[in-house]
Structures are given as structure tokens and as C-alpha cells.
Amino acid sequence: MLEYGPLFATAIGHPILGVIIPAIIFLVSFWVAWACFKHFSKKQN
């Protein structure tokens, strides 16, 4: 029977899946939150 050690968990995937895509998701969500804040924080005259 095969035993999976820590090497198996760290060797899966390409760096783009663990670094670049989460960074893009973070930047998009940060931009959406900022745009919502700017939109809803306008003073109503």
C-alpha cells in the first residue's frame, strides 16, 4: 500500500494555481469592494 507523505501534498499543481489566480481573485474582489464603498458612501443631496 502506498503512503502519501508531505511531498505528495506540496508537489501538486502549478504555481499559477496557487499564487497568480488567488492574487487576481483578491485584486478583483478588492476593486469591487472599493467601487461599492465609493458608490454607497456618496452624500445624498
Side-chain angles (χ1 to χ4, degrees):
M1 190 176 258
L2 293 174
E3 184 177 333
Y4 299 108
L7 180 63
F8 183 78
T10 58
I12 295 178
H14 195 268
I16 195 169
L17 297 175
V19 176
I20 297 173
I21 292 175
I24 291 170
I25 292 170
F26 173 77
L27 290 174
V28 169
S29 63
F30 186 83
W31 178 78
V32 169
W34 178 81
C36 287
F37 174 77
K38 290 301 240 181
H39 175 74
F40 290 111
S41 65
K42 290 181 182 177
K43 289 188 175 182
Q44 301 290 330
N45 290 337

